[in-house]
Amino acid sequence: TAVIRGRVLTAESGTPVRRAQVRATSAEARAGRLATTDAQGRFELKDLPAGRWILTASKAGLVTLQYGQRRPLESGKAIEIRDGETLERADISLPRGSAITGHVYDEFGDAVAGARIQVLRFQMQQGVRRLVPAGGGDQTDDTGAFRVFGLAPGEYFVSATLRSGPGADGADGNTYAPTYYPGTGSLAEAQRVAL
């Protein structure tokens, strides 16, 4: 029966972010909750069971962050609420995201359509440094162009993978090994892109 209210704002200017998605998750409550901000950036999550809740705000073009998180890759802050409690001002400020754009060409200089693009970065997970996807990825168009957006500041690797054969997206086609920017099959030889 608890309620959490707040606003989603841009980090640079503090202007309201309309139609941002605010997701509440809790280990105690198996089902999460979702709210969309209004024109003033306000959201309200109602009928929440008591417990510890993590709020995550996202909007295309902005960096996804949790409540209490000041920078990407930091930990957010859980909100502990009791039955019947109303928490006001659970505000989240989202910085504008960066984008990586480019083109994919084959060895003859022809544009490659339908290549799957992934942007990757190193991140600590369970005490181990791993290469993990960032952003939503993209697929090249008929000119070989791609754009991956909503990226936080940092260093990234860009990879392209291509499937070919019948249907090009089915299991019958061949899949080529990933190629990393600027055109190598080895991650050790790949060039980082700094944002």
Side-chain angles (χ1 to χ4, degrees), residues 21-25 32-35 45 54-57:
Q21 299 284 310
V22 180
R23 185 174 307 279
T25 56
R33 300 288 200 285
L34 183 67
L45 296 156
I54 301 288
L55 298 185
T56 305

Side-chain angles (χ1 to χ4, degrees), residues 115-134:
R116 176 78 181 129
I117 306 300
Q118 272 198 311
V119 175
L120 309 159
R121 77 181 303 170
F122 280 109
Q123 190 171 330
M124 293 299 287
Q125 289 185 339
Q126 300 170 346
V128 179
R129 189 170 179 246
R130 299 177 196 268
L131 195 61
V132 298

Side-chain angles (χ1 to χ4, degrees), residues 169-195:
D169 56 0
D172 297 351
N174 296 322
T175 301
Y176 295 93
T179 301
Y180 299 94
Y181 172 75
T184 179
S186 168
L187 183 61
E189 297 172 9
Q191 184 176 329
R192 295 172 195 246
V193 177
L195 299 178

Side-chain angles (χ1 to χ4, degrees), residues 3 20 44 62 71 177:
V3 177
E44 180 178 71
L62 301 173
R71 287 185 288 281

Side-chain angles (χ1 to χ4, degrees), residues 20-188:
Q21 299 284 310
V22 180
R23 185 174 307 279
T25 56
S26 172
E28 294 94 12
R30 292 199 170 92
R33 300 288 200 285
L34 183 67
T36 303
T37 58
D38 65 13
Q40 285 76 43
R42 292 186 301 246
F43 67 90
E44 180 178 71
L45 296 156
K46 298 190 279 189
D47 301 323
L48 300 172
R52 292 173 53 88
W53 290 87
I54 301 288
L55 298 185
T56 305
S58 62
K59 168 93 180 197
L62 301 173
V63 177
T64 299
L65 290 181
Q66 294 178 352
Y67 171 77
Q69 192 176 11
R70 290 173 295 174
R71 287 185 288 281
L73 305 180
E74 267 186 359
S75 296
K77 189 164 72 172
I79 296 174
E80 185 127 6
I81 54 174
R82 296 181 298 276
D83 279 332
E85 185 178 2
T86 298
L87 176 72
E88 304 279 353
R89 303 187 76 187
D91 299 342
I92 303 173
S93 294
L94 301 180
R96 190 147 307 278
S98 296
I100 295 176
T101 63
H103 288 81
V104 177
Y105 300 103
D106 65 14
E107 65 272 25
F108 305 109
D110 296 328
V112 176
R116 176 78 181 129
I117 306 300
Q118 272 198 311
V119 175
L120 309 159
R121 77 181 303 170
F122 280 109
Q123 190 171 330
M124 293 299 287
Q125 289 185 339
Q126 300 170 346
V128 179
R129 189 170 179 246
R130 299 177 196 268
L131 195 61
V132 298
D138 197 12
Q139 187 168 335
T140 57
D141 64 15
D142 61 325
T143 67
F146 68 88
R147 185 173 194 273
V148 180
F149 59 91
L151 300 169
E155 292 188 335
Y156 296 91
F157 295 97
V158 180
S159 76
T161 307
L162 182 65
R163 292 182 184 208
S164 68
D169 56 0
D172 297 351
N174 296 322
T175 301
Y176 295 93
T179 301
Y180 299 94
Y181 172 75
T184 179
S186 168
L187 183 61

